[in-house]
Amino acid sequence: MPRRQDLTRRAGLLAAALVAVPLSACGSGVLVDAYPTEPGTDVDCQALLADLPASVGGLDRRGLDQDVPAAAWGDPPVVLRCGVPTPDAFEPTSQCATFDDVDWFGEQTADGFRFTTVYRRVNVEVDVPGVHDPASDVLIDLAASIEKHVPAERRCQG
C-alpha cells in the first residue's frame, strides 16, 4: 500500500509541474533583470515610476513580470531602470545629448542604444531597441517626468 501512495503522490507532483510550466510561460509582462540600485534612490524612483507616461515614442506601457524599479513600453520593449549607477564609460568630458532640459549619456548596445541621465540626484537608464527609431522620441516623452521627480544637480558640459 505505501508504494501506491508514493506513486499517487509522484503523479500529482508531475501533473502540478506540467500545469505550472505553461502558466509561467504565458506571462504578458516584460522580464527586467534585477539590478543593483544606488542607496537612497527609492523615494525618487517611486515618484518617477508613478508619474511616467502611458506611452513613449508611440509605444504603449507594459506591465513587468517582477518587482523592480523599472518600466517598459512596446515590443521589443523600451526599458527604463531607475536608481542605476553612473555608467563606467561616462567621464566629465563625455558628449551628452540634451532633450527638453534632460542630459543623457548615450552608448550603443548590441541591439540599439542605452541612454543614462547624468548629473541628477538619481540616474535613470533607458534601453531603446534599434527598431524604435528615432530614440529621441522616447527620451523627449520621458523628459517631463524625469525633470519633475529627479532634480538636476548640474548640467552636462561635454
Side-chain angles (χ1 to χ4, degrees), residues 30 59 99 115 131 134 139:
V30 174
L59 305 168
F99 297 100
F115 298 93
V131 299
L139 304 180

Side-chain angles (χ1 to χ4, degrees), residues 13 22 52 58 62 65 69 78 93 100 103-104 106 128 131 140 145 150:
L13 290 173
L52 289 171
R62 298 179 58 192
D65 276 346
V78 167
T93 58
D100 288 351
D103 292 329
W104 299 90
V128 183
V131 299
I140 290 167
S145 295
V150 184

Side-chain angles (χ1 to χ4, degrees), residues 14-78:
L14 179 60
L18 291 174
V19 169
V21 170
L23 290 176
S24 64
C26 292
S28 62
V30 174
L31 179 62
V32 176
D33 292 334
Y35 60 95
T37 56
E38 294 291 298
T41 61
D42 294 350
V43 172
D44 289 321
C45 287
Q46 287 174 1
L48 173 64
L49 293 170
D51 192 40
L52 289 171
S55 68
V56 297
L59 305 168
D60 291 332
R61 190 158 176 185
R62 298 179 58 192
L64 301 180
D65 276 346
Q66 73 286 11
D67 187 24
V68 293
W73 297 262
D75 187 20
V78 167

Side-chain angles (χ1 to χ4, degrees), residues 58-146:
L59 305 168
D60 291 332
R61 190 158 176 185
R62 298 179 58 192
L64 301 180
D65 276 346
Q66 73 286 11
D67 187 24
V68 293
W73 297 262
D75 187 20
V78 167
V79 175
L80 176 147
R81 293 174 188 85
C82 188
V84 299
T86 300
D88 291 338
F90 181 74
E91 297 179 7
T93 58
S94 294
Q95 289 288 327
C96 296
T98 302
F99 297 100
D100 288 351
D101 294 325
V102 177
D103 292 329
W104 299 90
F105 173 67
E107 301 172 276
Q108 191 158 10
T109 63
D111 65 343
F113 292 92
R114 174 171 292 147
F115 298 93
T116 308
T117 59
V118 290
Y119 300 126
R120 292 195 169 262
R121 187 166 61 201
V122 172
N123 290 331
V124 176
E125 175 186 278
V126 179
D127 284 327
V128 183
V131 299
H132 302 308
D133 190 34
S136 59
D137 289 350
V138 170
L139 304 180
I140 290 167
D141 289 344
L142 292 169
S145 295
I146 291 170

